[in-house]
């Protein structure tokens, strides 16, 4: 019976698609859809999607050889599972009509992509089609649970992981996306600035990763050599390439703001890659491929919330500070019993928090007129920084404890951890009957 459930769900999807074909054409007078903005967002959507296979290579190269395929599939499967959820009701939860005081959307608003045909647009993106905005945001929802997988790599049952990522999407990601990016969202109303997902994506994934590492406990074989460092380098390149869509695409147009976000993304990542490598040299280590790659990704993470709110010089500071802080947290983590396999919390969680706080330090309204909250602490104003500090605490608690509860629920439905024998054999064989 259990084997029938996954395929049975797809049969239900077929029935829903037949009942709700969503063929009604939406026609809006005086539509402002712009072909240039639309073209850029089409490209950005594709760029963000390629980040998930990039992440698969990034993580897959770091684990032991017997777990490469399993680790990569954990990222790849998000492109399938999350897409189906998003089309049915996920987009509505994140961007539908507000419910519950700015914390969640009405799941019926865009049910089965209802009302997305024609020239309908999103309120804050009036120059691109609504369906394109929905697909662009889908790619953010896809990669977020994939980021978590590095924390419990090499010891989680695949079927249980799929259940967890569905729960995470509905109960953690969607509420945070709605609260932060919906014009009636709770955090949006408080003036929280998150240009492309420092809070919604990286902090939520980072804290879920820490909860996962604690809940699943350590591996039986915690030490290993990375299977393919060349995969890590390839994955970093794909992530950096795709991140231009992630950040510059979040300008939701092809104007000057997109160019600024692209520039800050470039400089922060470059500075962070150098900072991680040079900090390792300062500690007496040799410069390495892994360090440069991890540093580059930390810089990308940290600039994400700030990309469209800070200047180019300040993006350098954000990249350098985030790399050093994350490096120090990795050192601290190795001295604890927490087995965050690929240091997702120190890199994505901490990197996202550093980026969020430094947005509150360096944001300036001359960079982005949509910032009505005020300038950052560096310019002598305290309001924005205080809001970000309070939000950081609240989001951290929500993401950590919420994820811990979801892990427990998942474990009750389907055991999360593989057996010691399955772990010893490797997840490629024990979970997928395949090997590298």
């Amino acid at each position: 019976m259990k084997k029938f459930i996954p395929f049975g769900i797809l049969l239900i999807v077929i029935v829903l698609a037949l009942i709700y074909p969503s063929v009604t054409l939406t026609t809006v007078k005086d539509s402002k859809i712009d072909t240039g903005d639309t073209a850029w967002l089409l490209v950005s959507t594709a760029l963000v999607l390629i980040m998930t296979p990039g992440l698969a290579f990034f993580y897959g190269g770091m684990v032991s050889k017997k777990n490469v395929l399993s680790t990569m599939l954990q990222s790849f499967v998000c492109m399938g599972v999350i897409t189906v959820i998003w089309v049915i009701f996920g987009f509505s939860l994140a961007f539908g009509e507000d419910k519950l005081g700015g914390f969640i959307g009405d799941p019926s608003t865009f049910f089965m992509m209802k009302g997305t045909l024609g020239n309908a647009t999103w309120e804050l993106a009036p120059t691109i089609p609504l369906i394109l905005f929905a697909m662009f945001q889908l790619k953010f929802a896809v990669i977020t649970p994939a980021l978590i997988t590095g924390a419990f790599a090499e010891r989680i049952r695949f079927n249980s992981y799929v259940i967890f990522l569905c729960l995470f999407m509905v109960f953690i990601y969607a509420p945070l996306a709605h609260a932060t990016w919906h014009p009636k969202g709770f955090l949006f109303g408080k003036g929280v600035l998150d240009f492309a997902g420092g809070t919604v994506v990286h902090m939520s994934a980072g804290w879920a990763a820490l909860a996962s590492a604690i809940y699943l406990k350590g591996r039986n074989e915690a030490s290993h050599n990375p299977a393919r460092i060349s995969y890590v380098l390839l994955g970093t390149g794909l992530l950096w390439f795709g991140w231009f869509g992630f950040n510059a695409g979040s300008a939701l147009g092809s104007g000057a703001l997109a160019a600024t976000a692209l520039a800050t993304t470039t400089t922060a990542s470059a500075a962070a890659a150098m900072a991680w490598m040079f900090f390792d040299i300062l500690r007496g280590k040799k410069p390495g491929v892994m360090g440069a790659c991890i540093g580059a990704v930390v810089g990308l993470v940290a600039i994400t919330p700030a990309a469209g709110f800070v200047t180019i010089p300040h993006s350098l500071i954000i990249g350098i500070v985030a790399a050093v802080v994350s490096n120090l947290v990795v050192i601290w983590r190795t001295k604890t019993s927490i087995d965050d396999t690929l240091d997702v919390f120190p890199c994505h969680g901490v990197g996202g928090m550093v980026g969020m706080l430094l947005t509150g330090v360096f944001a300036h309204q001359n960079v982005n007129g949509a910032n009505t909250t005020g300038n950052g602490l560096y310019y002598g104003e305290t309001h924005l920084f205080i809001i970000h500090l309070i939000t950081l605490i609240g989001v951290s608690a929500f993401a950590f404890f919420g994820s811990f509860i979801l892990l427990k629920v998942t474990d009750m439905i389907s055991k999360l951890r593989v057996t010691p024998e399955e772990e010893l054999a490797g997840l490629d064989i024990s979970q997928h009957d395949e090997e590298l």
Side-chain angles (χ1 to χ4, degrees):
M1 181 62 183
K2 287 184 178 181
K3 293 180 180 180
F4 177 77
I5 292 175
F7 195 77
I9 292 173
L10 290 181
L11 294 178
I12 294 173
V13 171
I14 291 175
V15 173
L16 288 174
L18 292 172
I19 297 174
Y20 301 97
S22 300
V23 294
T24 302
L25 189 67
T26 302
T27 304
V28 179
K29 277 188 175 182
D30 302 319
S31 174
K32 298 179 181 179
I33 290 179
D34 179 84
T35 55
D37 291 345
T38 300
W40 169 235
L41 263 294
L42 286 167
V43 172
S44 294
T45 301
L47 286 171
V48 182
L49 179 64
I50 206 170
M51 292 173 65
T52 300
L55 183 70
F57 277 103
F58 185 72
Y59 281 171
M62 293 184 184
V63 297
S64 60
K65 186 177 179 180
K66 62 185 178 181
N67 295 306
V68 172
L69 298 178
S70 174
T71 300
M72 295 182 76
L73 181 59
Q74 286 170 9
S75 291
F76 197 85
V77 74
C78 292
M79 294 194 291
V81 174
I82 299 301
T83 297
V84 174
I85 295 174
W86 194 254
V87 166
I88 299 172
F89 64 88
F91 179 56
S92 297
L93 288 179
F95 295 98
E97 293 178 9
D98 181 61
K99 293 287 184 182
L100 300 177
F103 289 101
I104 198 69
D106 185 341
S108 67
T109 304
F110 302 112
F111 184 76
M112 297 297 290
M113 292 288 103
K114 173 181 67 176
T116 59
L117 288 183
N119 63 351
T121 60
W122 171 244
E123 182 178 347
L124 300 181
T127 62
I128 63 171
L130 176 59
I131 187 61
L132 177 55
F133 176 76
M135 292 299 103
F136 178 67
Q137 288 295 335
L138 162 64
K139 307 311 185 270
F140 288 72
V142 164
I143 198 171
T144 304
L147 293 171
I148 305 169
T149 63
F152 48 58
E154 305 189 311
R155 61 193 186 277
I156 192 169
R157 293 180 69 241
F158 181 76
N159 293 347
S160 302
Y161 160 68
V162 172
I163 295 172
F164 173 73
L165 76 87
C166 293
L167 295 175
F168 178 87
M169 162 66 212
V170 172
F171 294 103
I172 304 294
Y173 181 85
L176 282 177
H178 184 84
T180 306
W181 288 332
H182 193 283
K184 293 184 179 179
F186 178 78
L187 297 179
F188 187 97
K190 297 298 181 183
V192 173
L193 303 180
D194 185 2
F195 192 74
T199 302
V200 179
V201 176
H202 298 292
M203 280 181 57
S204 68
W207 282 106
L210 182 62
S212 301
I214 293 172
Y215 187 87
L216 271 76
K217 299 182 173 57
R219 291 161 290 166
N220 293 315
E221 294 180 318
S223 60
H224 66 270
N225 293 319
R228 295 281 193 278
I229 294 180
S230 56
Y231 280 11
V232 180
L233 194 60
L234 172 62
T236 303
L238 290 171
L239 284 168
W240 199 336
F241 177 68
W243 225 290
F244 292 125
F246 202 78
N247 286 356
S250 292
L252 300 176
S254 59
L257 184 59
T260 298
L262 185 146
T264 55
T265 301
T266 302
T267 50
S269 185
M274 296 301 97
W276 191 290
M277 191 162 55
F278 294 163
F279 190 69
D280 278 350
I281 294 173
L282 184 65
R283 294 171 50 223
K285 297 178 65 178
K286 292 182 179 180
V289 173
M290 291 275 283
C293 289
I294 293 170
V297 172
V298 168
L300 292 166
V301 168
I303 197 60
T304 292
F309 297 115
V310 303
T311 63
I312 311 302
H314 287 158
S315 71
L316 294 169
I317 298 175
I318 291 172
I320 293 168
V321 171
V324 173
V325 172
S326 291
N327 198 318
L328 290 171
V329 177
V330 169
I331 295 170
W332 166 81
R333 201 278 308 165
T334 59
K335 297 177 181 178
T336 70
S337 60
I338 300 172
D339 188 8
D340 183 344
T341 311
L342 306 180
D343 286 312
V344 178
F345 176 72
C347 295
H348 288 276
V350 174
M353 286 187 281
V354 170
M356 183 185 184
L357 286 179
L358 292 184
T359 302
V361 173
F362 294 121
H364 197 283
Q365 291 174 311
N366 284 354
V367 178
N368 188 342
N371 170 15
T372 58
T373 310
N375 298 322
L377 195 63
Y378 177 78
Y379 302 101
E381 300 179 26
T382 59
H383 181 61
L384 178 62
F385 181 79
I386 291 172
I387 288 174
H388 276 215
L389 182 60
I390 294 172
T391 301
L392 183 148
I393 296 170
V395 170
S396 298
F398 171 73
F400 177 79
F401 291 109
S403 297
F404 204 89
I405 292 170
L406 295 182
L407 288 162
K408 182 64 177 177
V409 171
T410 303
D411 207 8
M412 294 170 63
I413 298 171
S414 175
K415 190 175 180 180
L416 275 170
R417 178 105 188 216
V418 297
T419 66
E421 294 76 20
E422 289 173 327
E423 183 179 337
L424 183 62
L427 271 60
D428 291 358
I429 288 293
S430 67
Q431 300 299 297
H432 310 292
D433 201 21
E434 296 173 319
E435 58 184 331
L436 194 65

